[in-house]
Amino acid sequence: MLSKIVIQNYRTFRNFRLDFDAEMNILVGNNDAGKSTILEAIDLGLTGKLRGRPLYQDLSPYLFHQDAVGEWIDALKGSRAVPPPEIIIDLFLELTPETAALKGNNNLLKADEPGVRIRVALNPDYEAEYKEFIKHPAKVRLIPTEYYKVDWLAFDGNGVTFRSIPATASLIDAANIHLQSGVDYYMRHILNDLLVPDERVKLTRAYRSLRETFAEDESIVKINDALRGAPSDVSDRELTLNIDVSQKSSWESGIVPHLDDLPFQFVGKGEQSTLKILLALNKRVDDAHIVLVEEPENHLSFPNLGKLVKKISEKCKDRQVFITTHSSFVLNKLGLDKLVLLSQTEGVRLDRLPADTQNYFRKLSGYDTLRMVLARRSILVEGPSDELVIQRAHMDTHGGTLPVESGIDIINVRGLSFKRFLDIAQLLPQNVVAVVTDNDGKDASDVKQRYASYTAHPNITVHVGEDAAFKTLEPQLFKVNDRATMNAALGQSFTTDDDLLDYMKRHKTDGALAIFQSNQTINMPEYIKEAVDAVS
């Protein structure tokens, strides 16, 4: 199994390190955070190949971290002699009798451990050409990769091959699995299980007979007669059309599966994506120690995603798995403790979450935990009415700008599960989180005391209406606005405060939507304004 990876100057990573879980690693992050790059780097370290081709054949200036390239070019223009950037991927393996031969300290950490290294560096054989190239720094725009070489080494400094690494990886990306090869394998897999040898012989004979009768069709006979008489500038032999009946052209490649009478290529993208992932798992995982899965949720509905995640878990048991995802469902089902939130320098793990919180999200997997993880600034609320009112409060104080347009996520945690989400928030100090909750007739200080262990962290604040006589959001709004203001905002004409307040309590969401959409100037309760300020 892999224990960690260290990357230098590869794609989005200038200097990056990540320790791995021995079983499951769920990689999440915003776009361009490097999720796919991690899978690619692992595959590259274990196979020496990028997208199925040896790295030296696909070496590109754009594989280098652009800041490193920019600093090198600036140094050349400043007449400072600096070595050109190198790409290094160090992949550390657990120490076992099988990996002991790869042990050494030829790695970025200088640790005496087993592992393999990909190093892309200037080839000494081309040093003279390189020096000539940099004599004119004003013309240098990109790394001259034609002067580079790729070394694939063990940590002891010796070269390695695919056979000398006692760990194999299977990279599964439905977007890059060609449909026809998947269909062929799918048919062979099913038919090999169902057909006895005698039935396979009969099927082969029937398929050959169909092809042989093709040339006997009246229309094909006429076409071939015309072709025989046509002049040819290519060959003196007769030209005709027929179907290949040689052994290499068997029924296994000619028969296409149908789902509900539709050829496979015409079924929905979700069905295709699921099947291709499962085919790849069946085909590759048996011989792989490490399984890399790229965003399995693509094109899938919620229930189908649940089935796929379960099958991935079952099929990959006793293997080390790496999955990239944008789906909270995938994250919750496979385990928040396995999450890795990627930054440019490292991965933040949530493996210190309480066991009951992990189980809570596994059981109630529809929660938007990934929004919580990825949001740099968020406000947690009890329900949709709070969400709408807080959005209006933000718009009032920020020139009509919605919170999401300012990078603030308002997350409805469906009642009173704040502590579950705050268990996550306290492990992510870079994420600013505010909680907005009702006092429910209790003293505000008592309510805040329930969250004291969380608010001890500087990134977490809790905001509660101070007056216990005003238990929920609606009375708090009514407290700071008169009846005329609220009637105007709600499009109502109540003549007593009690009737208006009763309407607001009975129509919480409708009232909140009316307030959100109203042009009426509305005062916001102080605790709402404080929450907005806390994340702004």
Side-chain angles (χ1 to χ4, degrees), residues 5-18 27-28 32-42 63-68 86-89 108 340-347:
I5 191 171
V6 181
I7 300 175
Q8 176 181 289
N9 292 334
Y10 184 61
R11 294 194 184 271
T12 60
F13 297 126
R14 183 73 182 272
N15 292 290
F16 177 87
R17 170 179 173 165
L18 177 61
L27 308 179
V28 303
D32 297 324
K35 301 184 295 297
S36 299
T37 300
I38 296 296
L39 300 192
E40 186 177 274
I42 293 172
L63 294 178
F64 290 77
H65 192 282
Q66 293 307 295
D67 287 349
E86 297 182 357
I87 290 174
I88 295 176
I89 298 171
L108 291 168
V340 180
L341 174 61
L342 293 180
S343 71
Q344 291 301 306
T345 58
E346 62 180 351

Side-chain angles (χ1 to χ4, degrees), residues 129-171:
E129 289 91 336
Y130 171 76
K131 288 181 177 179
E132 186 66 27
F133 173 79
I134 62 174
K135 282 183 179 179
H136 309 284
K139 297 181 180 180
V140 176
R141 298 288 185 272
L142 298 170
I143 293 287
T145 51
E146 59 270 24
Y147 302 140
Y148 274 65
K149 66 172 183 174
V150 177
D151 291 324
W152 192 16
L153 307 168
F155 283 176
D156 64 358
N158 294 317
V160 295
T161 66
F162 180 78
R163 295 181 181 277
S164 59
I165 302 175
T168 56
S170 174
L171 177 59

Side-chain angles (χ1 to χ4, degrees), residues 271-447:
E271 189 80 42
Q272 292 185 23
S273 181
T274 300
L275 189 54
K276 286 191 284 186
I277 290 174
L278 293 176
L279 290 176
L281 285 171
N282 289 336
K283 189 175 183 180
R284 304 175 190 170
V285 167
D286 289 343
D287 298 322
H289 304 92
I290 296 133
V291 182
L292 315 168
V293 184
E294 179 82 43
E295 295 186 8
E297 68 268 19
N298 284 349
H299 306 295
L300 291 184
S301 65
F302 199 76
N304 286 335
L305 180 58
K307 295 177 186 177
L308 178 59
V309 169
K310 182 180 180 181
K311 290 178 180 178
I312 290 174
S313 299
E314 293 172 349
K315 190 66 181 176
C316 297
K317 192 175 182 180
D318 301 325
R319 289 170 176 81
Q320 190 175 26
V321 181
F322 296 81
I323 293 181
T324 66
T325 187
H326 285 106
S327 168
S328 289
F329 182 89
V330 173
L331 173 61
N332 294 344
K333 277 296 184 185
L334 294 180
L336 276 164
D337 58 316
K338 306 300 183 183
L339 176 143
V340 180
L341 174 61
L342 293 180
S343 71
Q344 291 301 306
T345 58
E346 62 180 351
V348 177
R349 290 189 169 277
L350 297 190
D351 51 5
R352 289 178 288 134
L353 278 173
D356 58 340
T357 294
Q358 297 175 32
N359 292 332
Y360 180 84
F361 286 115
R362 277 197 182 99
K363 293 173 183 176
L364 301 175
S365 51
Y367 277 109
D368 288 328
T369 47
L370 198 51
R371 284 174 60 187
M372 175 72 190
V373 169
L374 295 179
R376 291 294 184 178
R377 295 176 289 164
S378 57
I379 300 177
L380 306 183
V381 299
E382 295 180 18
S385 55
D386 306 80
E387 183 178 351
L388 288 164
V389 170
I390 289 174
Q391 291 198 65
R392 170 63 189 265
H394 185 276
M395 293 168 65
D396 288 347
T397 55
H398 292 83
T401 301
L402 287 166
V404 69
E405 296 170 344
S406 298
I408 300 170
D409 202 355
I410 315 297
I411 304 175
N412 174 9
V413 300
R414 305 179 195 172
L416 299 173
S417 4
F418 291 120
K419 289 188 176 182
R420 304 296 186 182
F421 281 83
L422 293 180
D423 282 339
I424 298 173
Q426 66 182 348
L427 298 179
L428 301 172
Q430 70 276 22
N431 292 11
V432 178
V433 180
V435 171
V436 174
T437 184
D438 296 330
N439 62 45
D440 293 324
K442 300 179 179 64
D443 190 275
S445 61
D446 292 337
V447 177

Side-chain angles (χ1 to χ4, degrees), residues 66-95:
Q66 293 307 295
D67 287 349
V69 175
E71 291 174 10
W72 168 70
I73 292 175
D74 289 343
L76 292 180
K77 291 179 179 179
S79 299
R80 301 192 307 275
V82 296
E86 297 182 357
I87 290 174
I88 295 176
I89 298 171
D90 285 339
L91 205 53
F92 292 75
L93 287 86
E94 291 182 347
L95 180 58

